Amino acid sequence: MNGVEEIRDILGKEDYTKLKSVIHKYHPVDIAEFFEELSPKESLNLFKILDFEDAIQVLEEVDSDKKYFILTNIEANYASKLLAEMSSDDVADFLGDLKEEEKKQILSLMEESAKLDLKDLLAYDKNTAGGRMTTEYIAFSKDLKAKDVLNKLAELAPDAETIYYLYVVDSEGRLAGVISLRDLILAPEQTPIEDFMKTDVKKVNVMSHQEEVARLIKKYGLLALPVVDDNDVLLGIVTVDDAMMVVEEETTEDILKFSGSDVDEKIDLKQISPWIRAKRRLPWILVAIIGEIFSGRVINGFSATLQTIVALSFFIPVIMDMGGNVGTQSAAIVVRGLATGEIDTASIIKNVLREAAVGIILGIINGILVTAITYFWQGKVLLGLVVGIAMAFNLTLAAALGTFIPLLWHKFGHDPAVASGPFVTTLLDIIGLFVYFSTATWILNL
Amino acid sequence: MNGVEEIRDILGKEDYTKLKSVIHKYHPVDIAEFFEELSPKESLNLFKILDFEDAIQVLEEVDSDKKYFILTNIEANYASKLLAEMSSDDVADFLGDLKEEEKKQILSLMEESAKLDLKDLLAYDKNTAGGRMTTEYIAFSKDLKAKDVLNKLAELAPDAETIYYLYVVDSEGRLAGVISLRDLILAPEQTPIEDFMKTDVKKVNVMSHQEEVARLIKKYGLLALPVVDDNDVLLGIVTVDDAMMVVEEETTEDILKFSGSDVDEKIDLKQISPWIRAKRRLPWILVAIIGEIFSGRVINGFSATLQTIVALSFFIPVIMDMGGNVGTQSAAIVVRGLATGEIDTASIIKNVLREAAVGIILGIINGILVTAITYFWQGKVLLGLVVGIAMAFNLTLAAALGTFIPLLWHKFGHDPAVASGPFVTTLLDIIGLFVYFSTATWILNL
């Protein structure tokens, strides 16, 4: 019997004493996972026996539908307390997911002070530093001493997202420095924090994209990154665990876009109907259809050639597929390189030339190979040459275009992953077939 | 003038006083980036003026070649001190990158005690928890009081990778619990740590794959994860910044494998010759060539059909490309879902059926669409039907196989990304063309 089955079993028997002792073994993150599998009624009964601290954490973890269901089905007073203690970024994300009616209902449960905090957070786009930050940070003014700060911590800690970085602000709320809890407890009690705070604070503007937030946290190995407005006023922080979520989300987005799925495609196959999933994947497929009809028209344009030598058609697959393969490899390297910052768009031409060099090498090797294969299969030297030359030319072009298109797309401020998968492949098919049949017409004098 | 140019300029003028004041503005991570651009001689001169603390951090960040160059060109005594203070995991990774001769040379610089620590670390595979962990953690025995621990911290902190999680071990060194610095400073001074330590510690076996380490750190929002042996003896910790590096590495690996590049492909286009890069990308390209020759043989097998109706060849591109597109979309969703844990292999058949349902929907929509396109283009109803029926059948199959192959591959303990890109596309080309020409022969009675 696995965890959730055991809990369902005890819930069925309404043995709440046993349930309390069993649930105590689990981490709130694991308990939140149980909620995914439990029915609404079971979830509610389980939620009611949780400690207040666990309840907050579980609530932060479960998805918005379940959050809404629980909060609107428990005592209003308790819901209000829970909402006040939840991380402000989690509550903001939750409200962002709700319909207008539902949102009003949840807001009506909240205390006025909690609502005020939220109002600002809700104004930021979900994918920005502002949309990701929490307002539960700790900041001090710089004239305090190490001892005073340590003493105040006890009181501030329960509400803070992290106490490992303590920020220092001036009288206008502008970020002046940061002290780590590590430095604080090592500092002599009477030292003013100004003396040991770091003033070169890594920070991010509230409107920055979440990718930039994650990049800085990763690059400098931070536990949290302060978010400031244009005047350097401290507004919130993003913690490293949220940065890891951002990395995961952005990666999923890149891989799915790269494969030509819509951005909103969810991984979890269970939760979405095949109709919606098909609809989301349709756009790029339709683009590809149009593109490949053009490929067909290229062949159509050479149908006289093809009618004379039917064997030319046998090599359409290898010409098409190889161009697509090499182009996709190049595009994948560029998309990933841009994501990790190892490639920049400053030198598009340099990058394209470097990649084209790889394409030439691959083209020559494979050109010779398919010439030989064609000769042994069909016994015709000239046909072999046609396939080989077209292949060499195509792979060079594929490497160059597979690099150029995502870089160009990125330079114009778009997501390079979108332009990479199906678009590059389809374009290379059209060009590749044209090169192939032109080479045939030229060499075979047709 | 950007940062590195300014520094190069000052280095050229040998104005070391100015250099010291300028370099002080930069974070060690940024200084390490300068080293990538500077010549060996410039790097060395810059390194020599760094503070000891900065020097350690910079050394941890620069690549192994530069590390080796610097350590073997500074005073042996200083090198020895630096090596003793660097994180054990960084030193172990560094030694792992060196040739046997170089490794001996570096080891000869090290103090005996530092070498002993390292010997164990070097025994673990690079991609395991053991290969990723550092031995610079802090552990206490459980009978200590909060106050004693706080007092000892000052002495232990300088050598520790993190002091935010303090581990509690029994007399045999087995992991008994964890206390966070947060809980510690909030606890009354006389409380035994046993009273407030958490005993349900998330941990990982030393032989676990690094992906598992990153997954646990992300899932539970941890700052560090303890690494234990089979007897639960604490051996080291992996910190969240290393986990973020793991996520980045694993993602790059997945995307490149998915696009059919070799695992070792490095993103940085500048540092590797096009010959080596071409060689790394060749294996999957050769597999694809063989596969597509089979596709050609399928067409060859139907050359009589093709000779009768040349127009059939016009639709080879759309049939080939669409199958590849849908198959790649499905494979991307599976590969990503397996990486994030949202899909498991327990129910392969369920997942394949769900995905096939999407394929059927896409197949029917696109089948109708290409039937219409074919009819308007070629004016032949039956030809339209052939293309449409083949398309519908192909896309269903593409979705099912694009899901099934990576899941099966994963179930047998292999990396699903490897089997996904070129392999799925090539297989679908062969099957798709066979389905297309068979449908043609059947409907057109050829």
Side-chain angles (χ1 to χ4, degrees), chain A residues 131-161:
Chain A
R132 280 287 175 172
M133 72 187 183
T134 171
T135 51
E136 281 106 4
Y137 58 88
I138 300 181
F140 292 101
S141 81
K142 56 181 164 184
D143 46 338
L144 290 177
K145 292 189 176 122
K147 194 190 161 140
D148 307 327
V149 171
L150 260 174
N151 286 341
K152 280 198 176 182
L153 264 191
E155 171 193 327
L156 296 169
D159 288 328
E161 191 83 358

PDB file of all heavy atoms in Angstrom, chain A residues 131-161:
ATOM      1  N   GLY A 131       6.521  39.887 -10.879  1.00  0.00           N
ATOM      2  CA  GLY A 131       5.528  38.818 -10.797  1.00  0.00           C
ATOM      3  C   GLY A 131       6.022  37.622 -10.015  1.00  0.00           C
ATOM      4  O   GLY A 131       5.242  36.806  -9.547  1.00  0.00           O
ATOM      5  N   ARG A 132       7.320  37.492  -9.871  1.00  0.00           N
ATOM      6  CA  ARG A 132       7.926  36.353  -9.196  1.00  0.00           C
ATOM      7  C   ARG A 132       8.311  36.627  -7.755  1.00  0.00           C
ATOM      8  O   ARG A 132       8.561  35.720  -6.976  1.00  0.00           O
ATOM      9  CB  ARG A 132       9.202  35.928  -9.948  1.00  0.00           C
ATOM     10  CG  ARG A 132       8.935  35.096 -11.155  1.00  0.00           C
ATOM     11  CD  ARG A 132       8.504  33.724 -10.689  1.00  0.00           C
ATOM     12  NE  ARG A 132       8.104  32.894 -11.806  1.00  0.00           N
ATOM     13  CZ  ARG A 132       7.826  31.597 -11.690  1.00  0.00           C
ATOM     14  NH1 ARG A 132       7.919  30.993 -10.532  1.00  0.00           N
ATOM     15  NH2 ARG A 132       7.431  30.919 -12.733  1.00  0.00           N
ATOM     16  N   MET A 133       8.428  37.933  -7.406  1.00  0.00           N
ATOM     17  CA  MET A 133       9.004  38.264  -6.097  1.00  0.00           C
ATOM     18  C   MET A 133       8.002  38.080  -4.969  1.00  0.00           C
ATOM     19  O   MET A 133       6.806  38.032  -5.166  1.00  0.00           O
ATOM     20  CB  MET A 133       9.506  39.703  -6.092  1.00  0.00           C
ATOM     21  CG  MET A 133       8.398  40.736  -6.069  1.00  0.00           C
ATOM     22  SD  MET A 133       9.079  42.400  -6.260  1.00  0.00           S
ATOM     23  CE  MET A 133       7.576  43.374  -6.090  1.00  0.00           C
ATOM     24  N   THR A 134       8.555  37.966  -3.778  1.00  0.00           N
ATOM     25  CA  THR A 134       7.732  37.977  -2.581  1.00  0.00           C
ATOM     26  C   THR A 134       8.093  39.236  -1.793  1.00  0.00           C
ATOM     27  O   THR A 134       9.217  39.734  -1.888  1.00  0.00           O
ATOM     28  CB  THR A 134       7.972  36.731  -1.713  1.00  0.00           C
ATOM     29  OG1 THR A 134       7.298  36.904  -0.466  1.00  0.00           O
ATOM     30  CG2 THR A 134       9.449  36.529  -1.425  1.00  0.00           C
ATOM     31  N   THR A 135       7.128  39.766  -1.065  1.00  0.00           N
ATOM     32  CA  THR A 135       7.408  40.971  -0.271  1.00  0.00           C
ATOM     33  C   THR A 135       7.848  40.615   1.144  1.00  0.00           C
ATOM     34  O   THR A 135       8.099  41.496   1.952  1.00  0.00           O
ATOM     35  CB  THR A 135       6.164  41.864  -0.216  1.00  0.00           C
ATOM     36  OG1 THR A 135       5.052  41.066   0.186  1.00  0.00           O
ATOM     37  CG2 THR A 135       5.882  42.470  -1.571  1.00  0.00           C
ATOM     38  N   GLU A 136       7.939  39.308   1.422  1.00  0.00           N
ATOM     39  CA  GLU A 136       8.329  38.887   2.771  1.00  0.00           C
ATOM     40  C   GLU A 136       9.844  38.790   2.914  1.00  0.00           C
ATOM     41  O   GLU A 136      10.394  37.695   3.070  1.00  0.00           O
ATOM     42  CB  GLU A 136       7.672  37.557   3.135  1.00  0.00           C
ATOM     43  CG  GLU A 136       6.232  37.717   3.549  1.00  0.00           C
ATOM     44  CD  GLU A 136       5.272  37.245   2.478  1.00  0.00           C
ATOM     45  OE1 GLU A 136       5.742  36.729   1.451  1.00  0.00           O
ATOM     46  OE2 GLU A 136       4.053  37.406   2.656  1.00  0.00           O
ATOM     47  N   TYR A 137      10.508  39.928   2.784  1.00  0.00           N
ATOM     48  CA  TYR A 137      11.948  39.966   3.016  1.00  0.00           C
ATOM     49  C   TYR A 137      12.195  40.756   4.304  1.00  0.00           C
ATOM     50  O   TYR A 137      11.280  41.370   4.847  1.00  0.00           O
ATOM     51  CB  TYR A 137      12.662  40.639   1.834  1.00  0.00           C
ATOM     52  CG  TYR A 137      12.177  42.037   1.590  1.00  0.00           C
ATOM     53  CD1 TYR A 137      12.757  43.117   2.256  1.00  0.00           C
ATOM     54  CD2 TYR A 137      11.120  42.280   0.716  1.00  0.00           C
ATOM     55  CE1 TYR A 137      12.291  44.401   2.050  1.00  0.00           C
ATOM     56  CE2 TYR A 137      10.652  43.569   0.513  1.00  0.00           C
ATOM     57  CZ  TYR A 137      11.233  44.622   1.185  1.00  0.00           C
ATOM     58  OH  TYR A 137      10.774  45.890   1.001  1.00  0.00           O
ATOM     59  N   ILE A 138      13.438  40.735   4.758  1.00  0.00           N
ATOM     60  CA  ILE A 138      13.790  41.497   5.965  1.00  0.00           C
ATOM     61  C   ILE A 138      14.779  42.582   5.592  1.00  0.00           C
ATOM     62  O   ILE A 138      15.781  42.310   4.925  1.00  0.00           O
ATOM     63  CB  ILE A 138      14.398  40.579   7.045  1.00  0.00           C
ATOM     64  CG1 ILE A 138      13.377  39.499   7.440  1.00  0.00           C
ATOM     65  CG2 ILE A 138      14.812  41.393   8.266  1.00  0.00           C
ATOM     66  CD1 ILE A 138      13.884  38.560   8.523  1.00  0.00           C
ATOM     67  N   ALA A 139      14.477  43.806   5.980  1.00  0.00           N
ATOM     68  CA  ALA A 139      15.396  44.907   5.713  1.00  0.00           C
ATOM     69  C   ALA A 139      15.578  45.742   6.981  1.00  0.00           C
ATOM     70  O   ALA A 139      14.656  45.867   7.796  1.00  0.00           O
ATOM     71  CB  ALA A 139      14.872  45.780   4.584  1.00  0.00           C
ATOM     72  N   PHE A 140      16.789  46.267   7.135  1.00  0.00           N
ATOM     73  CA  PHE A 140      17.109  47.100   8.296  1.00  0.00           C
ATOM     74  C   PHE A 140      17.695  48.421   7.827  1.00  0.00           C
ATOM     75  O   PHE A 140      18.168  48.525   6.690  1.00  0.00           O
ATOM     76  CB  PHE A 140      18.151  46.392   9.169  1.00  0.00           C
ATOM     77  CG  PHE A 140      17.631  45.160   9.836  1.00  0.00           C
ATOM     78  CD1 PHE A 140      17.936  43.908   9.328  1.00  0.00           C
ATOM     79  CD2 PHE A 140      16.832  45.257  10.970  1.00  0.00           C
ATOM     80  CE1 PHE A 140      17.448  42.762   9.948  1.00  0.00           C
ATOM     81  CE2 PHE A 140      16.346  44.122  11.589  1.00  0.00           C
ATOM     82  CZ  PHE A 140      16.651  42.873  11.078  1.00  0.00           C
ATOM     83  N   SER A 141      17.698  49.405   8.719  1.00  0.00           N
ATOM     84  CA  SER A 141      18.389  50.632   8.351  1.00  0.00           C
ATOM     85  C   SER A 141      19.835  50.501   8.813  1.00  0.00           C
ATOM     86  O   SER A 141      20.144  49.770   9.757  1.00  0.00           O
ATOM     87  CB  SER A 141      17.705  51.849   8.957  1.00  0.00           C
ATOM     88  OG  SER A 141      18.095  51.991  10.280  1.00  0.00           O
ATOM     89  N   LYS A 142      20.735  51.235   8.155  1.00  0.00           N
ATOM     90  CA  LYS A 142      22.145  50.882   8.276  1.00  0.00           C
ATOM     91  C   LYS A 142      22.822  51.314   9.571  1.00  0.00           C
ATOM     92  O   LYS A 142      23.930  50.903   9.847  1.00  0.00           O
ATOM     93  CB  LYS A 142      22.936  51.387   7.068  1.00  0.00           C
ATOM     94  CG  LYS A 142      22.853  52.852   6.769  1.00  0.00           C
ATOM     95  CD  LYS A 142      23.688  53.112   5.508  1.00  0.00           C
ATOM     96  CE  LYS A 142      23.346  54.478   4.926  1.00  0.00           C
ATOM     97  NZ  LYS A 142      24.054  54.719   3.666  1.00  0.00           N
ATOM     98  N   ASP A 143      22.151  52.091  10.390  1.00  0.00           N
ATOM     99  CA  ASP A 143      22.788  52.524  11.624  1.00  0.00           C
ATOM    100  C   ASP A 143      22.671  51.503  12.767  1.00  0.00           C
ATOM    101  O   ASP A 143      23.215  51.697  13.845  1.00  0.00           O
ATOM    102  CB  ASP A 143      22.213  53.882  12.055  1.00  0.00           C
ATOM    103  CG  ASP A 143      20.695  53.876  11.952  1.00  0.00           C
ATOM    104  OD1 ASP A 143      20.163  53.037  11.191  1.00  0.00           O
ATOM    105  OD2 ASP A 143      20.040  54.684  12.627  1.00  0.00           O
ATOM    106  N   LEU A 144      21.954  50.402  12.509  1.00  0.00           N
ATOM    107  CA  LEU A 144      21.810  49.389  13.560  1.00  0.00           C
ATOM    108  C   LEU A 144      23.116  48.639  13.787  1.00  0.00           C
ATOM    109  O   LEU A 144      23.979  48.571  12.921  1.00  0.00           O
ATOM    110  CB  LEU A 144      20.716  48.411  13.183  1.00  0.00           C
ATOM    111  CG  LEU A 144      19.283  48.949  13.210  1.00  0.00           C
ATOM    112  CD1 LEU A 144      18.322  47.871  12.748  1.00  0.00           C
ATOM    113  CD2 LEU A 144      18.922  49.432  14.608  1.00  0.00           C
ATOM    114  N   LYS A 145      23.218  48.051  14.996  1.00  0.00           N
ATOM    115  CA  LYS A 145      24.381  47.233  15.309  1.00  0.00           C
ATOM    116  C   LYS A 145      24.044  45.753  15.134  1.00  0.00           C
ATOM    117  O   LYS A 145      22.869  45.366  15.190  1.00  0.00           O
ATOM    118  CB  LYS A 145      24.822  47.489  16.741  1.00  0.00           C
ATOM    119  CG  LYS A 145      25.368  48.881  16.902  1.00  0.00           C
ATOM    120  CD  LYS A 145      26.000  49.085  18.252  1.00  0.00           C
ATOM    121  CE  LYS A 145      26.602  50.463  18.312  1.00  0.00           C
ATOM    122  NZ  LYS A 145      26.055  51.261  19.408  1.00  0.00           N
ATOM    123  N   ALA A 146      25.090  44.944  14.977  1.00  0.00           N
ATOM    124  CA  ALA A 146      24.906  43.502  14.760  1.00  0.00           C
ATOM    125  C   ALA A 146      23.969  42.909  15.816  1.00  0.00           C
ATOM    126  O   ALA A 146      23.056  42.143  15.493  1.00  0.00           O
ATOM    127  CB  ALA A 146      26.254  42.796  14.789  1.00  0.00           C
ATOM    128  N   LYS A 147      24.190  43.292  17.047  1.00  0.00           N
ATOM    129  CA  LYS A 147      23.406  42.733  18.141  1.00  0.00           C
ATOM    130  C   LYS A 147      21.916  43.074  18.010  1.00  0.00           C
ATOM    131  O   LYS A 147      21.056  42.227  18.210  1.00  0.00           O
ATOM    132  CB  LYS A 147      23.956  43.291  19.456  1.00  0.00           C
ATOM    133  CG  LYS A 147      23.460  42.549  20.659  1.00  0.00           C
ATOM    134  CD  LYS A 147      23.826  43.271  21.929  1.00  0.00           C
ATOM    135  CE  LYS A 147      22.923  42.742  23.018  1.00  0.00           C
ATOM    136  NZ  LYS A 147      23.617  42.554  24.275  1.00  0.00           N
ATOM    137  N   ASP A 148      21.632  44.340  17.666  1.00  0.00           N
ATOM    138  CA  ASP A 148      20.233  44.770  17.530  1.00  0.00           C
ATOM    139  C   ASP A 148      19.533  43.977  16.435  1.00  0.00           C
ATOM    140  O   ASP A 148      18.376  43.571  16.564  1.00  0.00           O
ATOM    141  CB  ASP A 148      20.167  46.255  17.150  1.00  0.00           C
ATOM    142  CG  ASP A 148      20.978  47.103  18.107  1.00  0.00           C
ATOM    143  OD1 ASP A 148      21.046  46.729  19.298  1.00  0.00           O
ATOM    144  OD2 ASP A 148      21.566  48.113  17.661  1.00  0.00           O
ATOM    145  N   VAL A 149      20.268  43.794  15.347  1.00  0.00           N
ATOM    146  CA  VAL A 149      19.679  43.061  14.228  1.00  0.00           C
ATOM    147  C   VAL A 149      19.359  41.634  14.649  1.00  0.00           C
ATOM    148  O   VAL A 149      18.251  41.131  14.414  1.00  0.00           O
ATOM    149  CB  VAL A 149      20.644  43.078  13.016  1.00  0.00           C
ATOM    150  CG1 VAL A 149      20.150  42.139  11.930  1.00  0.00           C
ATOM    151  CG2 VAL A 149      20.782  44.503  12.469  1.00  0.00           C
ATOM    152  N   LEU A 150      20.310  40.991  15.313  1.00  0.00           N
ATOM    153  CA  LEU A 150      20.081  39.615  15.771  1.00  0.00           C
ATOM    154  C   LEU A 150      18.882  39.542  16.700  1.00  0.00           C
ATOM    155  O   LEU A 150      18.070  38.623  16.617  1.00  0.00           O
ATOM    156  CB  LEU A 150      21.321  39.089  16.498  1.00  0.00           C
ATOM    157  CG  LEU A 150      22.230  38.180  15.672  1.00  0.00           C
ATOM    158  CD1 LEU A 150      23.488  37.835  16.449  1.00  0.00           C
ATOM    159  CD2 LEU A 150      21.502  36.905  15.270  1.00  0.00           C
ATOM    160  N   ASN A 151      18.765  40.512  17.567  1.00  0.00           N
ATOM    161  CA  ASN A 151      17.629  40.512  18.494  1.00  0.00           C
ATOM    162  C   ASN A 151      16.297  40.700  17.789  1.00  0.00           C
ATOM    163  O   ASN A 151      15.300  40.088  18.146  1.00  0.00           O
ATOM    164  CB  ASN A 151      17.806  41.620  19.546  1.00  0.00           C
ATOM    165  CG  ASN A 151      18.872  41.235  20.555  1.00  0.00           C
ATOM    166  OD1 ASN A 151      19.203  40.054  20.686  1.00  0.00           O
ATOM    167  ND2 ASN A 151      19.422  42.236  21.240  1.00  0.00           N
ATOM    168  N   LYS A 152      16.313  41.542  16.769  1.00  0.00           N
ATOM    169  CA  LYS A 152      15.057  41.786  16.042  1.00  0.00           C
ATOM    170  C   LYS A 152      14.647  40.602  15.172  1.00  0.00           C
ATOM    171  O   LYS A 152      13.475  40.432  14.849  1.00  0.00           O
ATOM    172  CB  LYS A 152      15.212  43.015  15.149  1.00  0.00           C
ATOM    173  CG  LYS A 152      15.069  44.322  15.902  1.00  0.00           C
ATOM    174  CD  LYS A 152      14.784  45.441  14.939  1.00  0.00           C
ATOM    175  CE  LYS A 152      14.552  46.735  15.709  1.00  0.00           C
ATOM    176  NZ  LYS A 152      14.233  47.850  14.821  1.00  0.00           N
ATOM    177  N   LEU A 153      15.655  39.822  14.787  1.00  0.00           N
ATOM    178  CA  LEU A 153      15.392  38.711  13.876  1.00  0.00           C
ATOM    179  C   LEU A 153      14.324  37.756  14.393  1.00  0.00           C
ATOM    180  O   LEU A 153      13.465  37.291  13.653  1.00  0.00           O
ATOM    181  CB  LEU A 153      16.661  37.907  13.631  1.00  0.00           C
ATOM    182  CG  LEU A 153      17.474  38.249  12.386  1.00  0.00           C
ATOM    183  CD1 LEU A 153      18.528  37.193  12.178  1.00  0.00           C
ATOM    184  CD2 LEU A 153      16.565  38.352  11.169  1.00  0.00           C
ATOM    185  N   ALA A 154      14.419  37.476  15.683  1.00  0.00           N
ATOM    186  CA  ALA A 154      13.507  36.504  16.284  1.00  0.00           C
ATOM    187  C   ALA A 154      12.054  36.878  16.004  1.00  0.00           C
ATOM    188  O   ALA A 154      11.210  36.020  15.754  1.00  0.00           O
ATOM    189  CB  ALA A 154      13.740  36.433  17.784  1.00  0.00           C
ATOM    190  N   GLU A 155      11.811  38.177  16.027  1.00  0.00           N
ATOM    191  CA  GLU A 155      10.453  38.676  15.854  1.00  0.00           C
ATOM    192  C   GLU A 155      10.052  38.679  14.365  1.00  0.00           C
ATOM    193  O   GLU A 155       8.908  38.405  14.004  1.00  0.00           O
ATOM    194  CB  GLU A 155      10.474  40.085  16.454  1.00  0.00           C
ATOM    195  CG  GLU A 155       9.314  40.973  16.273  1.00  0.00           C
ATOM    196  CD  GLU A 155       9.779  42.387  16.694  1.00  0.00           C
ATOM    197  OE1 GLU A 155      10.632  42.518  17.616  1.00  0.00           O
ATOM    198  OE2 GLU A 155       9.301  43.339  16.084  1.00  0.00           O
ATOM    199  N   LEU A 156      11.027  38.970  13.503  1.00  0.00           N
ATOM    200  CA  LEU A 156      10.722  39.101  12.075  1.00  0.00           C
ATOM    201  C   LEU A 156      10.743  37.763  11.331  1.00  0.00           C
ATOM    202  O   LEU A 156      10.061  37.590  10.324  1.00  0.00           O
ATOM    203  CB  LEU A 156      11.738  40.042  11.411  1.00  0.00           C
ATOM    204  CG  LEU A 156      11.722  41.484  11.909  1.00  0.00           C
ATOM    205  CD1 LEU A 156      12.939  42.228  11.377  1.00  0.00           C
ATOM    206  CD2 LEU A 156      10.430  42.179  11.481  1.00  0.00           C
ATOM    207  N   ALA A 157      11.538  36.823  11.830  1.00  0.00           N
ATOM    208  CA  ALA A 157      11.784  35.582  11.101  1.00  0.00           C
ATOM    209  C   ALA A 157      10.533  34.800  10.678  1.00  0.00           C
ATOM    210  O   ALA A 157      10.459  34.337   9.546  1.00  0.00           O
ATOM    211  CB  ALA A 157      12.730  34.689  11.901  1.00  0.00           C
ATOM    212  N   PRO A 158       9.545  34.650  11.569  1.00  0.00           N
ATOM    213  CA  PRO A 158       8.423  33.780  11.191  1.00  0.00           C
ATOM    214  C   PRO A 158       7.721  34.212   9.902  1.00  0.00           C
ATOM    215  O   PRO A 158       7.176  33.394   9.182  1.00  0.00           O
ATOM    216  CB  PRO A 158       7.478  33.890  12.393  1.00  0.00           C
ATOM    217  CG  PRO A 158       8.355  34.287  13.526  1.00  0.00           C
ATOM    218  CD  PRO A 158       9.409  35.160  12.933  1.00  0.00           C
ATOM    219  N   ASP A 159       7.734  35.511   9.609  1.00  0.00           N
ATOM    220  CA  ASP A 159       7.030  35.983   8.417  1.00  0.00           C
ATOM    221  C   ASP A 159       7.919  36.086   7.181  1.00  0.00           C
ATOM    222  O   ASP A 159       7.441  36.407   6.104  1.00  0.00           O
ATOM    223  CB  ASP A 159       6.429  37.373   8.688  1.00  0.00           C
ATOM    224  CG  ASP A 159       5.254  37.266   9.637  1.00  0.00           C
ATOM    225  OD1 ASP A 159       4.557  36.234   9.584  1.00  0.00           O
ATOM    226  OD2 ASP A 159       5.058  38.190  10.441  1.00  0.00           O
ATOM    227  N   ALA A 160       9.209  35.838   7.339  1.00  0.00           N
ATOM    228  CA  ALA A 160      10.119  36.084   6.212  1.00  0.00           C
ATOM    229  C   ALA A 160      10.321  34.840   5.370  1.00  0.00           C
ATOM    230  O   ALA A 160      10.297  33.721   5.870  1.00  0.00           O
ATOM    231  CB  ALA A 160      11.453  36.577   6.728  1.00  0.00           C
ATOM    232  N   GLU A 161      10.518  35.054   4.088  1.00  0.00           N
ATOM    233  CA  GLU A 161      10.772  33.957   3.151  1.00  0.00           C
ATOM    234  C   GLU A 161      12.184  33.407   3.384  1.00  0.00           C
ATOM    235  O   GLU A 161      12.417  32.224   3.298  1.00  0.00           O
ATOM    236  CB  GLU A 161      10.625  34.483   1.719  1.00  0.00           C
ATOM    237  CG  GLU A 161      10.591  33.429   0.656  1.00  0.00           C
ATOM    238  CD  GLU A 161       9.191  32.848   0.489  1.00  0.00           C
ATOM    239  OE1 GLU A 161       8.261  33.251   1.235  1.00  0.00           O
ATOM    240  OE2 GLU A 161       9.027  32.010  -0.371  1.00  0.00           O
TER     241      GLU A 161
END
